[in-house]
Amino acid sequence: MKREAEAAVDQRSRHSFFTLGVSSVMLEIHSQLQLRRVMRPDDANIVGNVHGGTILKMIEEAGGIISTRHCNTQPGDRCVAALARVERTDFLYPMFIGEVAHVSAEISYTSKHSVEVQVNVLAENILTGAKKVTNKATLWYVPFSLQNVDKIIEVPPIEYTNQEQEEEGKKRYEAQKMERLETKERNGEKIWPVLSTDDFTVGLSQSSLIHLVGPSDCTLLGFVHGGVTMKLMDEVAGIVAARHCKTNIVTASVDAINFHRKIKKGCILTVSGRMTFTSNKSMEIEVFVDADNLVEADKGNYRAATAFFTYISLDKEGKPLPVPPLKLENEEEQKRFEEGKARYLQNKAKRLAEKEQK
């Protein structure tokens, strides 16, 4: 009887695993989950560095599985958890072709209608056995009913080790909620085409990507996986960075990614990126995702997601190179540059403070 029960649980796990479209080895222990996958050539750039978007997609896959599974542990409507926000994510070390990515996820906080998931990424060199942590990310999910895609399901509470852990989670919840509201103020901005032939200008490196949302991009509800959107955003940001430097570039970090509205199957996505700030060894790229529904064309297009990506330039040995200064051509570019500089200094101060605490 015990073996039959374990087999049934395993069968359900495999079903939900493949239904969510994840092509990785998955291990589960209670409220924790781990994905493992070897990095292939199509996951990386021509130099062999794994794309940041590939890692972000795996992070979201793990978060989506564990939050969806948790939200379906109670009786009532079945649901799928949709990604609402990703907190700032640093890429601590690059990952390479042939390494195995270990992505582990754990639920750390639940509110009435949202789930916080902590995800860690470990890179393993299977030839030497060496392992290193490459990413740590915090994601927020909201569960939507399979019967009514506009209905948000209540989230089952989790048990906390102590009251302090719950209170800290509540503070993070309130903070991200406030930041999401503040980010919506930028949703009226557009990235318009700029004609420029001068090197190192905003107009020269500015880039866009058009993507038709197909069934393989979507969840059971017919909405795009957050990881698919993040991968496209990283691709555009990478093109902008490469055009500016004309060298090998890698993702260094991503500021909070906010998903403002769901994207349906059949929509056309326009993912646009522009350089906003450069320091001596880094570049900040602002990325917007706009969706246009072909089936419901009368509703017009809308802003679906926004984020700031930071890239660095590397030489053939993988060491950081100086970044060409950004040439500013008008007051708007100057304003965005100063805002980017403020974010850069704020993040730098935060990293230094964290190092001192260690």
Side-chain angles (χ1 to χ4, degrees):
M1 182 65 72
K2 182 179 179 182
R3 288 184 178 179
E4 291 176 358
E6 289 175 345
V9 170
D10 185 54
Q11 181 64 34
R12 288 196 299 271
S13 297
R14 286 199 299 270
H15 173 71
S16 60
F17 169 56
F18 287 112
T19 301
L20 284 163
V22 182
S23 56
S24 312
V25 176
M26 181 176 73
L27 301 175
E28 182 192 3
I29 304 175
H30 304 299
S31 62
Q32 298 178 344
L33 177 141
Q34 187 174 92
L35 304 181
R36 292 175 180 171
R37 184 162 74 81
V38 65
M39 297 292 99
R40 304 181 180 92
D42 57 352
D43 295 317
N45 62 20
I46 56 175
V47 181
N49 298 123
V50 173
H51 292 296
T54 300
I55 305 300
L56 289 171
K57 191 169 184 289
M58 289 189 67
I59 288 172
E60 198 279 326
E61 285 174 346
I65 292 172
I66 195 170
S67 54
T68 297
R69 180 169 289 147
H70 174 75
C71 292
N72 283 288
T73 56
Q74 61 186 355
D77 287 353
R78 300 299 88 189
C79 62
V80 172
L83 182 63
R85 176 180 166 91
V86 182
E87 301 295 350
R88 177 181 171 84
T89 304
D90 291 311
F91 290 74
L92 307 175
Y93 296 98
M95 196 177 294
F96 300 94
I97 295 172
E99 292 187 325
V100 175
H102 299 255
V103 184
S104 58
E106 183 176 7
I107 294 174
S108 51
Y109 178 77
T110 57
S111 69
K112 185 177 181 180
H113 292 122
S114 66
V115 181
E116 180 191 52
V117 180
Q118 303 290 344
V119 181
N120 290 332
V121 183
L122 188 78
E124 177 191 4
N125 185 319
I126 56 177
L127 300 179
T128 65
K131 296 180 180 179
K132 58 187 176 184
V133 176
T134 62
N135 301 82
K136 294 182 178 181
T138 302
L139 301 87
W140 293 89
Y141 288 85
V142 176
F144 289 90
S145 168
L146 285 174
Q147 302 300 320
N148 179 359
V149 295
D150 294 320
K151 179 183 177 182
I152 299 177
I153 304 297
E154 287 194 15
V155 176
I158 62 171
E159 293 185 7
Y160 300 97
T161 306
N162 51 56
Q163 189 174 355
E164 184 180 353
Q165 184 186 18
E166 183 177 5
E167 290 175 353
E168 288 298 320
K170 188 174 182 180
K171 287 179 182 178
R172 294 193 299 270
Y173 168 74
E174 295 295 342
Q176 65 86 27
K177 189 176 179 181
M178 183 64 67
E179 288 183 14
R180 286 186 66 199
L181 290 173
E182 292 174 355
T183 305
K184 287 185 178 181
E185 296 178 4
R186 299 181 65 91
N187 281 355
E189 289 194 31
K190 298 286 184 181
I191 297 183
W192 302 105
V194 178
L195 297 176
S196 177
T197 56
D198 294 339
D199 287 341
F200 313 127
T201 58
V202 175
L204 187 68
S205 61
Q206 183 174 300
S207 304
S208 293
L209 181 153
I210 309 298
H211 178 77
L212 175 63
V213 176
S216 62
D217 297 324
C218 298
T219 66
L220 296 172
L221 293 176
F223 296 111
V224 175
H225 285 287
V228 171
T229 305
M230 290 193 290
K231 191 172 187 295
L232 292 172
M233 295 172 80
D234 180 74
E235 287 178 6
V236 168
I239 292 170
V240 174
R243 281 180 167 174
H244 183 78
C245 288
K246 299 177 177 62
T247 60
N248 178 35
I249 48 87
V250 294
T251 313
S253 65
V254 185
D255 272 12
I257 303 176
N258 290 287
F259 293 83
H260 307 293
R261 291 178 60 180
K262 298 189 293 292
I263 303 170
K264 291 184 179 180
K265 179 174 63 179
C267 281
I268 292 179
L269 298 185
T270 302
V271 188
S272 305
R274 64 185 173 197
M275 190 79 67
T276 51
F277 169 76
T278 57
S279 66
N280 291 333
K281 292 185 179 180
S282 67
M283 300 160 276
E284 182 191 72
I285 297 103
E286 183 174 26
V287 181
F288 292 154
V289 179
D290 294 311
D292 191 3
N293 195 320
L294 291 178
V295 180
E296 301 173 344
D298 57 313
K299 292 187 178 180
N301 62 358
Y302 58 90
R303 180 62 43 78
T306 55
F308 289 97
F309 285 71
T310 299
Y311 274 75
I312 58 174
S313 174
L314 301 177
D315 63 17
K316 293 181 179 180
E317 283 71 43
K319 296 180 180 179
L321 287 170
V323 171
L326 184 63
K327 291 182 180 178
L328 306 174
E329 299 183 301
N330 54 55
E331 291 183 3
E332 287 187 7
E333 291 178 2
Q334 182 67 50
K335 179 184 176 183
R336 290 195 295 267
F337 185 90
E338 294 301 327
E339 291 173 347
K341 184 177 181 180
R343 285 187 292 271
Y344 167 77
L345 293 174
Q346 183 180 24
N347 290 327
K348 187 176 181 180
K350 191 179 296 184
R351 288 196 301 271
L352 291 173
E354 290 174 353
K355 284 184 179 179
E356 291 178 357
Q357 290 178 355
K358 292 179 181 180

